[in-house]
Amino acid sequence: MDLSLVTFAQILVAVLAIIGLMVANAVVMVYVERKAAGFIQRRPGPYEVGPWGTIQAICDSMKLLAKQIFVPANVDWVLFFLAPVLAFFPVLLLFLPIPFGPYLTGLAVPDGIVLILAFAGFGVLSNLFAGWASNNKYGLLGAARAVSQSVAYEIPLILALLAIIFQTGSLSLTEIVEAQGSYPWQWNILVQPLAFFIYLVSLVGETNRAPFDLPEAESELTAGFHTEYSGMGFALFFLSEYANMLLVSFVCATFFLGGYKGPFLDGIWWTFIKAYLIMFFIVWIRWTFPRVRFDQLLNINWKWLLPLGLINLWITAIIVKLLP
Amino acid sequence: MIRAIWDNLKGLYSLLVGMKITLIFLFSPQKTVHYPRKTVERENLITYRGPLELTRGKTDPAVTRCISCQMCVKACPGHCLTVVKNPEKSVKAPIEWKYDFTLCCLCGACVETCPTSALAFSHRIYLVARTREELIFDLLADLKARVEETPVLPGEEGASAEAAQG
Ligand code: SF4
Ligand code: SF4
């Protein structure tokens, strides 16, 4: 693939659109999440700012923009400011290979999923930098947890995706969608229910969301790795957290739920409906389950998800080999 | 091994039960009272511990049951109560009953220790004060004012009528 002017313009437009999507997603999801939390606890959630509190999230982001960026003493300046940037920008790249619609892909690379999995590692790195650079015990503990958790959960996540890749015989996200049909019984979730379950659990662990939100456990670590960040630094971490959630939801929709294919009319709306259903699922379990302990977290991963993922992968490999 | 798998399956099932509960709650009506526009109804305030008040007397509601025994004053960890005995020995009722709400931690030691149940927590949830002095209550005056306002409590009409007959 030569990098012609057209490709360059395409990437530029895609990145701008993705930034828009990320910001809109964060604003909407913060509102949805707070509303859902409220309703689950039988209270109204944000209510006073704007009709039904709809502009609460926008006001909050304005406040974050206007806030002073406070730098504590003895921080590592370079890493301290690099971390939020490093958390935010690689996520832009991760959205590029996702097929939103039949013709709507930021950059249709043949090995899309490898790109996503490779660059997702930057998120962990930024957490580590943030915790290390802020010279704060809570930050450092949060960073240590973030690293061991993300490294652990990446493995079953990849194993689950590998099963689908074996079955489809392709690393391209578009081809994986094309291999599935338009109706729910033709989707990979029915062929690989175990892989879907493993992916669903590791997705929560990978994005550091409750009940696996140990790197940011408020009751133990104040805010974990971003304890010392204020203003825009915090906002960037926040944005990238929600963007990561959206990304894993899109990947899940693409791999297991038929991507942009759906009953009646294939199209971009199906991708978004499916991804946001998974987003809602993440929010829902956050307000249902208590946080697990760290040893439990790793036990779930190493003792259950990893062997299950391996068995699933072996069985898939054998079946794929025997039934050409 | 089989047992561990079975336990984990049971655990997964219990997770589903939890998710069902939160889903039901998501769609059930809310309990929040939007305060400035609405206020909490009386029956929901029964468990609310507001500042202390003196309970109504048994025969004459405006006369306190307090016998100036000073038990509550001694029990109070915040030293917020002042009960002044009547200098005349034959009258047990106090002549002054001061309560400093700024020091009170609402622990309930006074209510529990009172031998005549003369003390109780009020349900005054919408209490506002602009100065500290406003929070030092004269409970005898407060009891009088309350009895003047509602001579008979809504729930006790039948009981007092029976008492009058008997
Ligand atoms: S509730 Fe506790 S602190 Fe308050 S007056 Fe009674 S004994 Fe004192
Ligand atoms: S304990 Fe009861 S009776 Fe004794 S002084 Fe206090 S309020 Fe009066």
Side-chain angles (χ1 to χ4, degrees):
Chain A
M1 186 179 64
D2 59 331
L3 200 64
S4 63
L5 206 60
V6 179
T7 331
F8 185 70
Q10 188 191 351
I11 294 178
L12 201 66
V13 170
V15 165
L16 287 179
I18 289 166
I19 293 182
L21 176 67
M22 272 172 80
V23 175
N25 169 61
V27 169
V28 172
M29 276 317 288
V30 167
Y31 178 71
V32 169
E33 173 143 29
R34 292 181 60 182
K35 270 291 184 200
F39 284 153
I40 284 177
Q41 293 159 2
R42 306 189 72 177
R43 55 188 176 80
Y47 193 79
E48 303 293 337
V49 189
W52 295 284
T54 33
I55 56 174
Q56 176 80 55
I58 298 169
C59 291
D60 285 351
S61 46
M62 289 298 136
K63 182 203 76 177
L64 275 181
L65 277 175
K67 260 174 98 170
Q68 180 195 4
I69 297 183
F70 182 79
V71 185
N74 293 330
V75 299
D76 185 327
W77 270 76
V78 178
L79 290 186
F80 188 78
F81 287 109
L82 186 63
V85 177
L86 200 60
F88 179 75
F89 281 104
V91 184
L92 296 179
L93 191 64
L94 301 183
F95 278 94
L96 278 179
I98 291 187
F100 292 103
Y103 305 104
L104 192 72
T105 309
L107 183 70
V109 283
D111 308 331
I113 189 62
V114 179
L115 182 84
I116 291 180
L117 291 174
F119 280 93
F122 274 115
V124 195
L125 197 62
S126 71
N127 292 358
L128 180 62
F129 282 0
W132 174 258
S134 48
N135 191 23
N136 173 311
K137 58 187 171 203
Y138 297 123
L140 190 58
L141 279 173
R145 286 181 175 190
V147 172
S148 57
Q149 173 177 346
S150 298
V151 166
Y153 273 86
E154 216 152 70
I155 300 170
L157 189 114
I158 292 175
L159 288 180
L161 295 182
L162 262 185
I164 303 290
I165 292 169
F166 276 19
Q167 184 194 323
T168 320
S170 166
L171 286 168
S172 150
L173 290 154
T174 320
E175 276 176 39
I176 287 168
V177 174
E178 286 301 330
Q180 303 174 60
S182 285
Y183 288 93
W185 55 88
Q186 296 166 320
W187 294 346
N188 281 338
I189 178 171
L190 280 191
V191 189
Q192 297 275 9
L194 188 59
F196 178 70
F197 174 73
I198 294 170
Y199 183 83
L200 212 55
V201 178
S202 4
L203 157 168
V204 182
E206 189 64 20
T207 48
N208 300 338
R209 293 275 306 182
F212 298 155
D213 61 344
L214 283 120
E216 319 172 12
E218 295 92 351
S219 47
E220 302 153 27
L221 296 181
T222 347
F225 60 86
H226 59 63
T227 306
E228 294 291 3
Y229 286 87
S230 53
M232 266 329 272
F234 173 72
L236 283 184
F237 275 120
F238 205 66
L239 262 182
S240 62
E241 179 186 332
Y242 278 93
N244 271 322
M245 273 165 69
L246 189 65
L247 178 84
V248 290
S249 304
F250 270 128
V251 172
C252 186
T254 316
F255 267 75
F256 294 98
L257 301 176
Y260 52 75
K261 293 198 166 183
F264 310 119
L265 197 56
D266 296 352
I268 182 170
W269 41 87
W270 282 115
T271 330
F272 275 84
I273 289 172
K274 288 164 187 169
Y276 276 94
L277 278 180
I278 296 162
M279 292 285 265
F280 176 74
F281 174 80
I282 302 177
V283 169
W284 179 15
I285 61 170
R286 168 164 182 195
W287 297 107
T288 305
F289 302 137
R291 185 180 301 130
V292 297
R293 234 170 36 218
F294 202 72
D295 59 321
Q296 294 170 332
L297 174 95
L298 290 182
N299 276 353
I300 293 173
N301 178 58
W302 295 116
K303 291 196 183 157
W304 292 102
L305 294 184
L306 188 69
L308 278 179
L310 279 176
I311 294 170
N312 189 49
L313 194 61
W314 278 330
I315 296 175
T316 315
I318 292 168
I319 292 179
V320 166
K321 197 76 188 164
L322 293 185
L323 308 173
Chain B
M1 183 66 198
I2 288 171
R3 201 199 170 96
I5 291 174
W6 176 241
D7 281 352
N8 274 278
L9 285 179
K10 272 201 295 196
L12 280 180
Y13 174 72
S14 76
L15 292 185
L16 286 183
V17 173
M19 290 182 70
K20 189 181 138 212
I21 290 172
T22 43
L23 193 66
I24 291 173
F25 271 34
L26 186 65
F27 293 108
S28 32
Q30 290 161 15
K31 296 286 190 191
T32 305
V33 177
H34 291 266
Y35 163 56
R37 296 179 283 276
K38 282 189 213 135
T39 49
V40 182
E41 301 113 39
R42 233 188 99 76
E43 58 262 35
N44 284 340
L45 285 180
I46 298 297
T47 50
Y48 179 77
R49 283 187 168 192
L52 287 177
E53 63 183 20
L54 289 173
T55 50
R56 290 159 182 249
K58 277 199 178 112
T59 42
D60 180 0
V63 174
T64 169
R65 301 179 197 175
C66 174
I67 52 169
S68 318
C69 70
Q70 311 286 339
M71 290 290 278
C72 54
V73 180
K74 288 203 184 91
C76 175
H79 306 296
C80 27
L81 306 176
T82 322
V83 183
V84 179
K85 283 183 186 168
N86 197 323
E88 213 163 302
K89 287 264 158 64
S90 58
V91 185
K92 283 181 173 174
I95 53 169
E96 201 186 339
W97 220 114
K98 280 270 163 62
Y99 165 48
D100 188 348
F101 188 46
T102 59
L103 298 175
C104 177
C105 61
L106 295 167
C107 65
C110 52
V111 175
E112 231 151 76
T113 196
C114 177
T116 56
S117 318
L119 284 173
F121 286 114
S122 69
H123 310 306
R124 291 164 66 189
I125 193 168
Y126 300 119
L127 177 72
V128 180
R130 288 193 183 78
T131 58
R132 278 165 187 246
E133 286 68 39
E134 279 175 56
L135 286 174
I136 300 174
F137 299 118
D138 180 354
L139 289 193
L140 284 177
D142 168 65
L143 175 68
K144 222 169 234 136
R146 273 188 297 127
V147 171
E148 258 163 40
E149 200 179 307
T150 44
V152 183
L153 285 181
E156 290 169 1
E157 275 158 12
S160 58
E162 261 170 40
Q165 274 170 10

